[in-house]
Amino acid sequence: MSERQTTRREFLTHSMVLGAGVVALGPLGKGLLSGAAPGAKMRFGLVTYLWGDDWTLPALIANCRKTGVLGVELRTQHAHGVESNLSQAERADVKKRFADSGVTLVGLGTNFAFHHPERDRLQRDIEGAKEYVRLSADCGGSGVKVKPDALPKGVPYEKTIEQIGRSLNELGAFGESHGQEIRLEVHGGCSPLPVIKAIMDAADHPNVKVCWNCNGQDLEGEGLAYNFHLVRPFFGATAHVRELDMDDYPYQELIDLMVGTDYDGWVLLEARTRPDDRVAALAAQRAVFARMVATAQSGGTRSGSGVKVTQHSDRVTVEIDGKPFTEYCHTAKPRPYFYPVMGPTGAAVIRHWPMAEKPDEARDHPHHKSLWFTHGDVNGVDFWADGDTRGRIVHDKFIEVSSGPQVGVITSQNNWIAPDGRTICTDTRRHRFSGGPDARILDLEVTIHASHGELVFGDTKEGSMAIRLAPTMRLKGSVGQGHIVNSEGVRDGATWGKRAAWCDYYGPVDGDVVGVAIFDHPGNPRHPTWWHVRDYGLFAANPFGIHDFERKPAGTGNLVVPAGESVTFKWRFYFHKGNEVEGKVAERYQEYAS
């Protein structure tokens, strides 16, 4: 799951290097402009387990310096002697030894766990972990590793998960007050990553993080990449690996994933073997790590085929057959959107403004951000336009982020928030990405839940499933050379407000004619939909705005969702080469509809 530098450069060149400057760069652009390769901030360190368990603190520091392994996690009860019974003077001495040496005390590794059904034992472990939080802070560390170890028999799964989460939240708050990260090691009976994901959903304090641990369970289910992305948003400053040149775990693929998501923490060796010369072995492992990172930065071990979906802190990038397709900007305000969106020729088919500046682009309608879903009247709140008096759609969480040989998936949940802070409703969005040499496909399934009472989608043209196209694709304007056609044969400006199963907007981009078709699924409410498609590049499917489109009484198009129920819409964006005939839009719609 690595990201090649050439791919990053192409993404930036085609979509972000834009005249007056770059306003909103994703990870791809930021890494390139800073001159740093992805994964460049990762560092290799040591857990004292086995290879350093009998080294005194001076010997440990000396061996780390000798090998160039300049970070260490001190496991408790080892010969280094850094334990909670140290006096304040002894703690200060430990801190000074590390500061003077250039070796970083990454943190402390404890065995405190929070799955115990016995209340007294649970409380002892919570208080014990707090003692080591204080110790790490006093000694100059940055965090403390803890565990879940098991799912006790006879105790409901949900109860154990909730208990671990509650305990971690308490520790997270305590650690934050001491400048210490709480690192949950993927361990024991809780090693399956879906279990860790459930724990982290319960442990929602931002100071609680996951410490990856390279267990066999990482490869179960849908495989390493799926499980990695399941918990990648929760990664903290540490991850554990075993000997990197052993063949019982796909370490290169793991490093590819870390580099591909620009992980910037410590990768700590927690060894299982006991070589005769541990210092030489440690130096050799550092060299193996450096080679693996270099391999990942140059393209990794995977071929360029398939759909790669990579989660970052503020967006998710999508590549098809090694070429960039889009980024899902889930933290964007006031609503999530896809930007940029690359067509089948590799050129962006959207307007860049207001995310970035580019010549010949109109600076109207700042709420038209690339490709997005929303509506202008939901229980009387305008979610279409921007501003303090308008609604916001706020990302809640990801349910799935996965790659695959044919299809990649992003599934997320969002909250629709009124200006006064009330939650109007929630939604679940499933995005599927696929394509080939001549086309790109984005399938959207949006389910809006009347989770906070009855829901009324109001009768307005301002909505809903929309894209704002590149200036050369427009019908009008100084550079506009585009055309519009729908499934009924209606063309250009006459398509506005008409019902049709599909609509196609095409025109030249960087010298090649490309098109964007939107397919309305036959199972959608009010199929075939109406099209809010404008000659200046706005292109939207809108099943609600009947009084605007057909000049019927206001409210004719209202759609009511009873409290506790939901409504689902499905659309396909088909990005193709050529016009609607050359792109075989009608044929592709029939395949979709069947």
Side-chain angles (χ1 to χ4, degrees), residues 386-441:
D386 296 352
D388 293 340
T389 61
R390 277 34 187 269
R392 297 173 294 121
I393 300 176
V394 180
H395 171 81
D396 180 22
K397 64 181 178 180
F398 287 111
I399 298 172
E400 178 182 2
V401 176
S402 64
S403 305
Q406 279 85 39
V407 175
V409 176
I410 301 172
T411 305
S412 64
Q413 289 185 355
N414 303 278
N415 298 319
W416 296 51
I417 309 297
D420 62 5
R422 291 177 298 118
T423 300
I424 300 296
C425 62
T426 58
D427 75 46
T428 304
R429 306 181 184 197
R430 180 174 173 83
H431 313 93
R432 298 176 77 254
F433 310 92
S434 58
D438 297 320
R440 295 285 183 266
I441 292 174

Short mmCIF file of all heavy atoms in Angstrom, two decimals, residues 386-441:
data_model
loop_
_atom_site.label_atom_id
_atom_site.label_comp_id
_atom_site.label_asym_id
_atom_site.label_seq_id
_atom_site.Cartn_x
_atom_site.Cartn_y
_atom_site.Cartn_z
N ASP A 386 -22.97 27.79 2.22
CA ASP A 386 -22.05 27.92 3.34
C ASP A 386 -22.40 29.13 4.18
O ASP A 386 -23.04 30.07 3.71
CB ASP A 386 -20.60 28.08 2.84
CG ASP A 386 -20.10 26.87 2.09
OD1 ASP A 386 -20.80 25.84 2.07
OD2 ASP A 386 -18.98 26.95 1.52
N GLY A 387 -21.96 29.14 5.44
CA GLY A 387 -22.15 30.30 6.29
C GLY A 387 -22.61 29.92 7.68
O GLY A 387 -23.08 28.80 7.92
N ASP A 388 -22.49 30.85 8.60
CA ASP A 388 -22.82 30.59 10.00
C ASP A 388 -24.29 30.28 10.22
O ASP A 388 -24.65 29.65 11.22
CB ASP A 388 -22.43 31.80 10.86
CG ASP A 388 -20.92 32.01 10.90
OD1 ASP A 388 -20.19 31.05 10.60
OD2 ASP A 388 -20.50 33.14 11.23
N THR A 389 -25.16 30.72 9.31
CA THR A 389 -26.59 30.47 9.48
C THR A 389 -27.03 29.23 8.72
O THR A 389 -28.23 28.95 8.64
CB THR A 389 -27.40 31.68 8.97
OG1 THR A 389 -27.12 31.88 7.56
CG2 THR A 389 -27.02 32.94 9.73
N ARG A 390 -26.08 28.48 8.18
CA ARG A 390 -26.39 27.28 7.42
C ARG A 390 -25.98 26.03 8.21
O ARG A 390 -25.19 26.09 9.15
CB ARG A 390 -25.67 27.29 6.08
CG ARG A 390 -26.29 28.08 4.94
CD ARG A 390 -27.05 29.32 5.26
NE ARG A 390 -27.72 29.90 4.10
CZ ARG A 390 -27.20 30.81 3.30
NH1 ARG A 390 -25.95 31.24 3.50
NH2 ARG A 390 -27.90 31.29 2.28
N GLY A 391 -26.49 24.90 7.77
CA GLY A 391 -26.16 23.65 8.43
C GLY A 391 -24.79 23.12 8.05
O GLY A 391 -24.19 23.55 7.06
N ARG A 392 -24.29 22.17 8.84
CA ARG A 392 -23.01 21.52 8.60
C ARG A 392 -23.20 20.00 8.58
O ARG A 392 -24.02 19.47 9.33
CB ARG A 392 -22.01 21.87 9.70
CG ARG A 392 -21.65 23.34 9.81
CD ARG A 392 -20.77 23.59 11.03
NE ARG A 392 -21.48 23.35 12.28
CZ ARG A 392 -21.11 22.47 13.20
NH1 ARG A 392 -20.03 21.70 13.00
NH2 ARG A 392 -21.80 22.32 14.32
N ILE A 393 -22.44 19.34 7.75
CA ILE A 393 -22.39 17.88 7.75
C ILE A 393 -21.02 17.49 8.29
O ILE A 393 -19.99 17.82 7.69
CB ILE A 393 -22.63 17.29 6.36
CG1 ILE A 393 -24.00 17.72 5.83
CG2 ILE A 393 -22.53 15.77 6.40
CD1 ILE A 393 -24.30 17.26 4.42
N VAL A 394 -21.01 16.81 9.43
CA VAL A 394 -19.78 16.55 10.16
C VAL A 394 -19.48 15.06 10.16
O VAL A 394 -20.31 14.24 10.57
CB VAL A 394 -19.88 17.07 11.61
CG1 VAL A 394 -18.58 16.80 12.36
CG2 VAL A 394 -20.21 18.56 11.61
N HIS A 395 -18.29 14.72 9.68
CA HIS A 395 -17.85 13.32 9.68
C HIS A 395 -17.83 12.78 11.11
O HIS A 395 -17.29 13.41 12.02
CB HIS A 395 -16.45 13.22 9.06
CG HIS A 395 -15.81 11.87 9.20
ND1 HIS A 395 -16.12 10.82 8.36
CD2 HIS A 395 -14.90 11.39 10.07
CE1 HIS A 395 -15.41 9.76 8.71
NE2 HIS A 395 -14.66 10.09 9.75
N ASP A 396 -18.40 11.60 11.29
CA ASP A 396 -18.41 10.95 12.60
C ASP A 396 -17.33 9.87 12.68
O ASP A 396 -16.44 9.92 13.52
CB ASP A 396 -19.80 10.36 12.87
CG ASP A 396 -19.88 9.65 14.21
OD1 ASP A 396 -19.05 9.97 15.09
OD2 ASP A 396 -20.76 8.80 14.40
N LYS A 397 -17.39 8.90 11.76
CA LYS A 397 -16.40 7.82 11.79
C LYS A 397 -16.43 7.05 10.48
O LYS A 397 -17.38 7.15 9.70
CB LYS A 397 -16.69 6.87 12.94
CG LYS A 397 -18.02 6.12 12.84
CD LYS A 397 -18.23 5.21 14.04
CE LYS A 397 -19.57 4.49 13.98
NZ LYS A 397 -19.76 3.60 15.14
N PHE A 398 -15.37 6.29 10.27
CA PHE A 398 -15.32 5.36 9.15
C PHE A 398 -15.77 3.99 9.61
O PHE A 398 -15.42 3.53 10.70
CB PHE A 398 -13.90 5.26 8.59
CG PHE A 398 -13.46 6.47 7.82
CD1 PHE A 398 -12.48 7.30 8.31
CD2 PHE A 398 -14.05 6.77 6.61
CE1 PHE A 398 -12.07 8.42 7.61
CE2 PHE A 398 -13.66 7.90 5.89
CZ PHE A 398 -12.68 8.72 6.39
N ILE A 399 -16.55 3.34 8.78
CA ILE A 399 -16.96 1.97 9.03
C ILE A 399 -16.06 1.01 8.27
O ILE A 399 -15.73 -0.08 8.75
CB ILE A 399 -18.43 1.77 8.62
CG1 ILE A 399 -19.34 2.68 9.44
CG2 ILE A 399 -18.86 0.31 8.76
CD1 ILE A 399 -20.77 2.71 8.97
N GLU A 400 -15.65 1.41 7.08
CA GLU A 400 -14.77 0.58 6.27
C GLU A 400 -13.90 1.47 5.39
O GLU A 400 -14.38 2.43 4.79
CB GLU A 400 -15.58 -0.38 5.38
CG GLU A 400 -14.72 -1.25 4.47
CD GLU A 400 -15.53 -2.16 3.57
OE1 GLU A 400 -16.78 -2.09 3.62
OE2 GLU A 400 -14.92 -2.93 2.82
N VAL A 401 -12.62 1.14 5.33
CA VAL A 401 -11.70 1.74 4.38
C VAL A 401 -10.87 0.57 3.85
O VAL A 401 -10.07 0.00 4.58
CB VAL A 401 -10.78 2.80 5.03
CG1 VAL A 401 -9.78 3.32 4.00
CG2 VAL A 401 -11.60 3.95 5.59
N SER A 402 -11.08 0.19 2.59
CA SER A 402 -10.43 -1.02 2.10
C SER A 402 -10.02 -0.88 0.65
O SER A 402 -10.64 -0.17 -0.14
CB SER A 402 -11.35 -2.23 2.26
OG SER A 402 -12.52 -2.11 1.47
N SER A 403 -8.95 -1.59 0.30
CA SER A 403 -8.45 -1.67 -1.06
C SER A 403 -8.77 -3.04 -1.63
O SER A 403 -9.17 -3.96 -0.91
CB SER A 403 -6.94 -1.44 -1.07
OG SER A 403 -6.59 -0.23 -0.46
N GLY A 404 -8.59 -3.20 -2.95
CA GLY A 404 -8.84 -4.49 -3.56
C GLY A 404 -8.37 -4.54 -5.00
O GLY A 404 -8.07 -3.51 -5.61
N PRO A 405 -8.29 -5.74 -5.55
CA PRO A 405 -7.82 -5.87 -6.94
C PRO A 405 -8.76 -5.25 -7.96
O PRO A 405 -8.32 -4.82 -9.03
CB PRO A 405 -7.71 -7.38 -7.13
CG PRO A 405 -8.58 -7.97 -6.07
CD PRO A 405 -8.54 -7.04 -4.92
N GLN A 406 -10.06 -5.18 -7.67
CA GLN A 406 -11.02 -4.56 -8.59
C GLN A 406 -11.73 -3.36 -7.99
O GLN A 406 -12.08 -2.42 -8.71
CB GLN A 406 -12.08 -5.58 -9.04
CG GLN A 406 -11.66 -6.48 -10.16
CD GLN A 406 -10.90 -7.69 -9.64
OE1 GLN A 406 -11.25 -8.24 -8.60
NE2 GLN A 406 -9.88 -8.10 -10.36
N VAL A 407 -11.96 -3.38 -6.67
CA VAL A 407 -12.81 -2.37 -6.04
C VAL A 407 -12.18 -1.89 -4.74
O VAL A 407 -11.64 -2.70 -3.97
CB VAL A 407 -14.22 -2.94 -5.76
CG1 VAL A 407 -15.07 -1.94 -4.99
CG2 VAL A 407 -14.92 -3.33 -7.06
N GLY A 408 -12.24 -0.59 -4.49
CA GLY A 408 -11.91 -0.02 -3.20
C GLY A 408 -13.16 0.57 -2.57
O GLY A 408 -14.11 0.94 -3.28
N VAL A 409 -13.19 0.65 -1.25
CA VAL A 409 -14.40 1.07 -0.54
C VAL A 409 -14.06 2.05 0.57
O VAL A 409 -13.08 1.88 1.30
CB VAL A 409 -15.14 -0.14 0.06
CG1 VAL A 409 -16.36 0.30 0.87
CG2 VAL A 409 -15.57 -1.11 -1.04
N ILE A 410 -14.87 3.10 0.68
CA ILE A 410 -14.88 3.97 1.85
C ILE A 410 -16.33 4.04 2.34
O ILE A 410 -17.21 4.46 1.59
CB ILE A 410 -14.40 5.39 1.55
CG1 ILE A 410 -12.98 5.40 0.99
CG2 ILE A 410 -14.49 6.27 2.79
CD1 ILE A 410 -12.54 6.77 0.50
N THR A 411 -16.58 3.59 3.55
CA THR A 411 -17.90 3.73 4.15
C THR A 411 -17.77 4.58 5.39
O THR A 411 -16.92 4.32 6.25
CB THR A 411 -18.50 2.36 4.51
OG1 THR A 411 -18.53 1.52 3.35
CG2 THR A 411 -19.92 2.51 5.03
N SER A 412 -18.61 5.61 5.49
CA SER A 412 -18.50 6.55 6.60
C SER A 412 -19.87 6.89 7.15
O SER A 412 -20.90 6.66 6.51
CB SER A 412 -17.80 7.83 6.14
OG SER A 412 -18.59 8.50 5.17
N GLN A 413 -19.87 7.46 8.35
CA GLN A 413 -21.09 7.99 8.97
C GLN A 413 -20.89 9.47 9.23
O GLN A 413 -19.79 9.92 9.57
CB GLN A 413 -21.39 7.26 10.28
CG GLN A 413 -21.88 5.83 10.08
CD GLN A 413 -22.29 5.16 11.39
OE1 GLN A 413 -22.12 5.74 12.46
NE2 GLN A 413 -22.81 3.96 11.30
N ASN A 414 -21.99 10.23 9.10
CA ASN A 414 -21.93 11.68 9.25
C ASN A 414 -23.13 12.17 10.04
O ASN A 414 -24.20 11.55 10.04
CB ASN A 414 -21.93 12.36 7.87
CG ASN A 414 -20.79 11.90 7.00
OD1 ASN A 414 -19.68 12.38 7.13
ND2 ASN A 414 -21.05 10.94 6.11
N ASN A 415 -22.95 13.31 10.69
CA ASN A 415 -24.02 13.97 11.43
C ASN A 415 -24.38 15.28 10.75
O ASN A 415 -23.49 16.07 10.39
CB ASN A 415 -23.59 14.25 12.87
CG ASN A 415 -23.27 12.99 13.64
OD1 ASN A 415 -23.97 11.99 13.52
ND2 ASN A 415 -22.21 13.02 14.43
N TRP A 416 -25.66 15.54 10.57
CA TRP A 416 -26.16 16.78 9.97
C TRP A 416 -26.55 17.71 11.12
O TRP A 416 -27.50 17.44 11.85
CB TRP A 416 -27.36 16.50 9.07
CG TRP A 416 -27.05 15.64 7.86
CD1 TRP A 416 -26.41 14.44 7.85
CD2 TRP A 416 -27.39 15.93 6.50
NE1 TRP A 416 -26.33 13.95 6.57
CE2 TRP A 416 -26.91 14.85 5.72
CE3 TRP A 416 -28.04 16.98 5.88
CZ2 TRP A 416 -27.07 14.80 4.34
CZ3 TRP A 416 -28.21 16.94 4.49
CH2 TRP A 416 -27.73 15.87 3.73
N ILE A 417 -25.80 18.81 11.26
CA ILE A 417 -25.91 19.68 12.43
C ILE A 417 -26.49 21.04 12.02
O ILE A 417 -25.99 21.70 11.11
CB ILE A 417 -24.53 19.89 13.09
CG1 ILE A 417 -23.84 18.55 13.35
CG2 ILE A 417 -24.68 20.69 14.38
CD1 ILE A 417 -24.56 17.65 14.30
N ALA A 418 -27.54 21.47 12.73
CA ALA A 418 -28.16 22.77 12.48
C ALA A 418 -27.27 23.88 13.06
O ALA A 418 -26.39 23.63 13.88
CB ALA A 418 -29.54 22.82 13.13
N PRO A 419 -27.48 25.14 12.64
CA PRO A 419 -26.68 26.25 13.17
C PRO A 419 -26.72 26.37 14.69
O PRO A 419 -25.77 26.86 15.30
CB PRO A 419 -27.29 27.48 12.49
CG PRO A 419 -27.90 26.96 11.24
CD PRO A 419 -28.40 25.59 11.57
N ASP A 420 -27.82 25.95 15.31
CA ASP A 420 -27.92 26.05 16.77
C ASP A 420 -27.33 24.85 17.49
O ASP A 420 -27.43 24.72 18.70
CB ASP A 420 -29.37 26.25 17.19
CG ASP A 420 -30.28 25.09 16.80
OD1 ASP A 420 -29.77 24.07 16.27
OD2 ASP A 420 -31.51 25.20 17.00
N GLY A 421 -26.69 23.93 16.73
CA GLY A 421 -26.04 22.77 17.34
C GLY A 421 -26.87 21.52 17.41
O GLY A 421 -26.36 20.45 17.78
N ARG A 422 -28.14 21.60 17.05
CA ARG A 422 -28.99 20.40 17.07
C ARG A 422 -28.59 19.44 15.95
O ARG A 422 -28.23 19.87 14.86
CB ARG A 422 -30.45 20.77 16.86
CG ARG A 422 -31.12 21.52 18.01
CD ARG A 422 -32.56 21.88 17.63
NE ARG A 422 -32.62 22.76 16.47
CZ ARG A 422 -33.22 22.45 15.32
NH1 ARG A 422 -33.81 21.27 15.16
NH2 ARG A 422 -33.23 23.32 14.32
N THR A 423 -28.67 18.13 16.23
CA THR A 423 -28.48 17.13 15.19
C THR A 423 -29.82 16.90 14.50
O THR A 423 -30.79 16.48 15.13
CB THR A 423 -27.95 15.81 15.76
OG1 THR A 423 -26.69 16.05 16.39
CG2 THR A 423 -27.78 14.77 14.67
N ILE A 424 -29.86 17.17 13.21
CA ILE A 424 -31.10 17.01 12.44
C ILE A 424 -31.29 15.56 12.04
O ILE A 424 -32.38 14.99 12.13
CB ILE A 424 -31.08 17.91 11.19
CG1 ILE A 424 -30.95 19.39 11.59
CG2 ILE A 424 -32.33 17.69 10.34
CD1 ILE A 424 -32.09 19.92 12.38
N CYS A 425 -30.20 14.92 11.58
CA CYS A 425 -30.26 13.54 11.13
C CYS A 425 -28.84 13.02 11.01
O CYS A 425 -27.86 13.74 11.27
CB CYS A 425 -30.99 13.42 9.79
SG CYS A 425 -30.19 14.30 8.43
N THR A 426 -28.71 11.77 10.62
CA THR A 426 -27.40 11.17 10.36
C THR A 426 -27.46 10.47 9.01
O THR A 426 -28.54 10.22 8.46
CB THR A 426 -27.02 10.16 11.45
OG1 THR A 426 -28.02 9.13 11.52
CG2 THR A 426 -26.94 10.83 12.82
N ASP A 427 -26.27 10.17 8.47
CA ASP A 427 -26.26 9.40 7.23
C ASP A 427 -25.14 8.38 7.24
O ASP A 427 -24.17 8.49 8.01
CB ASP A 427 -26.16 10.31 6.00
CG ASP A 427 -24.78 10.89 5.75
OD1 ASP A 427 -23.78 10.16 5.82
OD2 ASP A 427 -24.69 12.11 5.47
N THR A 428 -25.28 7.39 6.39
CA THR A 428 -24.24 6.40 6.13
C THR A 428 -23.97 6.44 4.63
O THR A 428 -24.90 6.33 3.83
CB THR A 428 -24.69 4.98 6.53
OG1 THR A 428 -25.07 4.99 7.91
CG2 THR A 428 -23.56 3.98 6.31
N ARG A 429 -22.69 6.59 4.27
CA ARG A 429 -22.32 6.71 2.86
C ARG A 429 -21.34 5.60 2.51
O ARG A 429 -20.30 5.45 3.16
CB ARG A 429 -21.67 8.06 2.58
CG ARG A 429 -22.51 9.24 3.02
CD ARG A 429 -21.84 10.56 2.70
NE ARG A 429 -22.65 11.66 3.22
CZ ARG A 429 -22.52 12.92 2.84
NH1 ARG A 429 -21.60 13.25 1.95
NH2 ARG A 429 -23.29 13.85 3.36
N ARG A 430 -21.67 4.87 1.47
CA ARG A 430 -20.76 3.84 0.97
C ARG A 430 -20.29 4.27 -0.42
O ARG A 430 -21.10 4.47 -1.33
CB ARG A 430 -21.46 2.48 0.90
CG ARG A 430 -20.56 1.35 0.39
CD ARG A 430 -21.29 0.02 0.50
NE ARG A 430 -20.56 -1.08 -0.11
CZ ARG A 430 -19.58 -1.77 0.47
NH1 ARG A 430 -19.22 -1.46 1.70
NH2 ARG A 430 -18.97 -2.76 -0.15
N HIS A 431 -18.98 4.42 -0.56
CA HIS A 431 -18.37 4.83 -1.82
C HIS A 431 -17.55 3.65 -2.36
O HIS A 431 -16.68 3.15 -1.66
CB HIS A 431 -17.46 6.03 -1.63
CG HIS A 431 -18.03 7.14 -0.82
ND1 HIS A 431 -17.84 7.25 0.55
CD2 HIS A 431 -18.79 8.20 -1.16
CE1 HIS A 431 -18.45 8.32 0.99
NE2 HIS A 431 -19.05 8.92 -0.01
N ARG A 432 -17.81 3.26 -3.61
CA ARG A 432 -17.06 2.18 -4.24
C ARG A 432 -16.33 2.74 -5.46
O ARG A 432 -16.93 3.43 -6.29
CB ARG A 432 -17.98 1.03 -4.66
CG ARG A 432 -18.72 0.37 -3.50
CD ARG A 432 -19.70 -0.69 -3.98
NE ARG A 432 -19.04 -1.93 -4.36
CZ ARG A 432 -18.86 -2.35 -5.60
NH1 ARG A 432 -19.29 -1.61 -6.62
NH2 ARG A 432 -18.27 -3.50 -5.85
N PHE A 433 -15.04 2.41 -5.55
CA PHE A 433 -14.20 2.95 -6.61
C PHE A 433 -13.70 1.80 -7.49
O PHE A 433 -13.23 0.78 -7.00
CB PHE A 433 -12.99 3.67 -5.99
CG PHE A 433 -13.36 4.64 -4.91
CD1 PHE A 433 -13.39 4.24 -3.58
CD2 PHE A 433 -13.68 5.95 -5.21
CE1 PHE A 433 -13.73 5.12 -2.57
CE2 PHE A 433 -14.02 6.85 -4.22
CZ PHE A 433 -14.05 6.44 -2.89
N SER A 434 -13.80 2.01 -8.80
CA SER A 434 -13.33 0.99 -9.75
C SER A 434 -12.99 1.69 -11.06
O SER A 434 -13.18 2.90 -11.21
CB SER A 434 -14.39 -0.09 -9.95
OG SER A 434 -15.61 0.47 -10.44
N GLY A 435 -12.50 0.91 -12.01
CA GLY A 435 -12.20 1.51 -13.31
C GLY A 435 -11.17 0.72 -14.07
O GLY A 435 -10.70 -0.33 -13.63
N GLY A 436 -10.83 1.25 -15.25
CA GLY A 436 -9.86 0.62 -16.13
C GLY A 436 -9.14 1.68 -16.93
O GLY A 436 -9.14 2.86 -16.58
N PRO A 437 -8.53 1.29 -18.06
CA PRO A 437 -7.74 2.25 -18.85
C PRO A 437 -8.55 3.42 -19.39
O PRO A 437 -8.02 4.52 -19.56
CB PRO A 437 -7.18 1.39 -19.99
CG PRO A 437 -7.27 -0.01 -19.49
CD PRO A 437 -8.45 -0.07 -18.59
N ASP A 438 -9.83 3.20 -19.69
CA ASP A 438 -10.62 4.23 -20.36
C ASP A 438 -11.73 4.83 -19.51
O ASP A 438 -12.52 5.63 -20.02
CB ASP A 438 -11.24 3.65 -21.64
CG ASP A 438 -10.19 3.21 -22.63
OD1 ASP A 438 -9.18 3.93 -22.77
OD2 ASP A 438 -10.35 2.15 -23.26
N ALA A 439 -11.81 4.45 -18.25
CA ALA A 439 -12.93 4.94 -17.44
C ALA A 439 -12.58 4.88 -15.95
O ALA A 439 -11.71 4.12 -15.53
CB ALA A 439 -14.18 4.11 -17.70
N ARG A 440 -13.28 5.68 -15.20
CA ARG A 440 -13.25 5.65 -13.74
C ARG A 440 -14.70 5.63 -13.27
O ARG A 440 -15.56 6.29 -13.87
CB ARG A 440 -12.55 6.88 -13.16
CG ARG A 440 -11.07 6.97 -13.52
CD ARG A 440 -10.26 5.98 -12.71
NE ARG A 440 -8.84 6.09 -12.97
CZ ARG A 440 -8.18 5.35 -13.85
NH1 ARG A 440 -8.85 4.48 -14.61
NH2 ARG A 440 -6.87 5.47 -14.00
N ILE A 441 -14.96 4.90 -12.19
CA ILE A 441 -16.32 4.77 -11.67
C ILE A 441 -16.33 5.04 -10.18
O ILE A 441 -15.51 4.50 -9.43
CB ILE A 441 -16.90 3.37 -11.96
CG1 ILE A 441 -17.12 3.19 -13.47
CG2 ILE A 441 -18.22 3.15 -11.20
CD1 ILE A 441 -17.54 1.80 -13.87
#
